[in-house]
Amino acid sequence: MEFDKEFLGKLLEQAMENPRLRQNFDLRTSSADTSQRMLNALQPQTEVPIHRHEKTSETVICLVGKLEEIIYEEVNEYVHEATSCCDDVIRQKSFKEVSRQILSPAEGKFGIQIPAGAWHTINVIEPSVIFEAKDGAYNEYGNTTDKE
C-alpha cells in the first residue's frame, strides 16, 4: 500500500465529515497484532482529551499540516469543602502545561517521542495527518489497554 498525497487528502476529507473532526487508518496487518500503528487525520477544532499511556511511549510523526503536542504534569490540590458542615478536604486533580512542541514538516519539525506515563494532548493548527505508534492492543477508546 502506498501513502501518497491523494490517499492523505481522502483521509483528511473523511476527517472533515466525521463529527469528531478526525479519522484514523489502522496500519496493523491483523487484529492479532498487539501494537498500534495508525495514520490519524486531524482537523482544527478536534478535541482530544488530555490522556496518557502508562506503560508505553508514543511516537508521533507529522506527515502534512501543523499541530502542537502539549505535555502536562498532574497537579493535586487539596481544598476545603465550602458547603460541608464537617470541613471536609477534597483532592482535585488538574494539569499544568510543561512543554509545547510544534510539529510541521514545512518547518522541518517532524515528530516527537512522548514518554510512557506523560499526560498529553494536541492542538491542531491546520489540517494534519500524523503517524502514531505505541505498544499495546487497541481498545474501543482508541488507547492502549492502560486504564488512563
Side-chain angles (χ1 to χ4, degrees):
M1 173 173 255
E2 191 174 310
F3 306 115
D4 57 14
K5 187 175 182 178
E6 182 180 340
F7 179 87
L8 298 181
K10 287 180 183 177
L11 200 58
L12 282 166
E13 285 176 22
Q14 291 173 1
M16 184 69 86
E17 295 168 4
N18 187 323
R20 296 174 68 207
L21 296 175
R22 59 184 188 262
Q23 182 68 45
N24 70 24
F25 183 84
D26 190 355
L27 297 171
R28 297 175 306 149
T29 55
S30 81
S31 59
D33 186 340
T34 59
S35 68
Q36 290 187 61
R37 296 182 313 277
M38 69 183 82
L39 297 177
N40 206 344
L42 306 155
Q43 294 291 340
Q45 299 180 346
T46 188
E47 294 183 24
V48 177
I50 297 172
H51 64 286
R52 67 178 174 178
H53 312 285
E54 288 185 315
K55 298 176 182 163
T56 180
S57 60
E58 180 175 8
T59 303
V60 178
I61 299 170
C62 187
L63 302 173
V64 296
K66 185 174 184 177
L67 58 93
E68 297 173 301
E69 280 283 351
I70 307 165
I71 309 295
Y72 299 89
E73 68 181 17
E74 184 175 335
V75 177
N76 289 308
E77 298 176 315
Y78 297 90
V79 296
H80 289 277
E81 168 86 16
T83 60
S84 172
C85 64
C86 303
D87 199 28
D88 292 338
V89 174
I90 298 173
R91 182 178 72 129
Q92 293 181 334
K93 179 170 67 172
S94 62
F95 298 99
K96 175 184 169 190
E97 183 179 323
V98 294
S99 70
R100 189 175 286 247
Q101 177 73 40
I102 294 280
L103 301 183
S104 170
E107 297 175 27
K109 299 175 181 182
F110 300 102
I112 186 171
Q113 181 79 8
I114 301 167
W119 293 97
H120 62 282
T121 189
I122 57 170
N123 175 41
V124 180
I125 299 168
E126 58 187 52
S128 302
V129 178
I130 59 175
F131 167 79
E132 294 182 50
K134 51 192 171 279
D135 297 331
Y138 185 80
N139 68 23
E140 64 188 90
Y141 304 106
N143 293 316
T144 59
T145 53
D146 291 346
K147 299 264 191 247
E148 310 226 25

